Amino acid sequence: MYHIFSDIICILLWLMNPKDDTTIKNFGAAVRQLRKERGLTLLQLSESCDVDYTTISKIERGLINTTITMVARIAKALEVKPSVLID
């Protein structure tokens, strides 16, 4: 149970600073790396997250900040804890 709360706190702190370009780019790079390690295309990951593939593309390139809901969807689709994407 503690891990869930620490993941949520980590994500909330990250989302509270939407202008932190380094964090946004690092998050996107982590998503891209894990997606490729799992052999998924942008389209496959986007379908698992129920969003358009262009949204995943923008996240991976660090062009947009995203919501906590999307972080959770991406983490679930990549079969990792959300904190793995943010560390």
Side-chain angles (χ1 to χ4, degrees), residues 16-36:
M16 288 171 53
N17 189 0
K19 295 184 181 190
D20 185 352
D21 291 337
T22 302
T23 302
I24 294 168
K25 289 187 183 299
N26 289 344
F27 173 76
V31 171
R32 177 178 283 148
Q33 178 182 349
L34 287 168
R35 175 180 61 80
K36 288 184 175 190

Side-chain angles (χ1 to χ4, degrees), residues 40-72:
L40 298 172
T41 65
L42 279 171
L43 186 58
Q44 290 169 322
L45 180 57
S46 68
E47 287 173 350
S48 294
C49 297
D50 196 29
V51 295
D52 190 76
Y53 77 94
T54 59
T55 300
I56 299 296
S57 175
K58 289 175 187 175
I59 290 170
E60 286 188 353
R61 292 181 287 145
L63 299 179
I64 59 172
N65 197 357
T66 190
T67 65
I68 193 166
T69 302
M70 185 55 60
V71 172

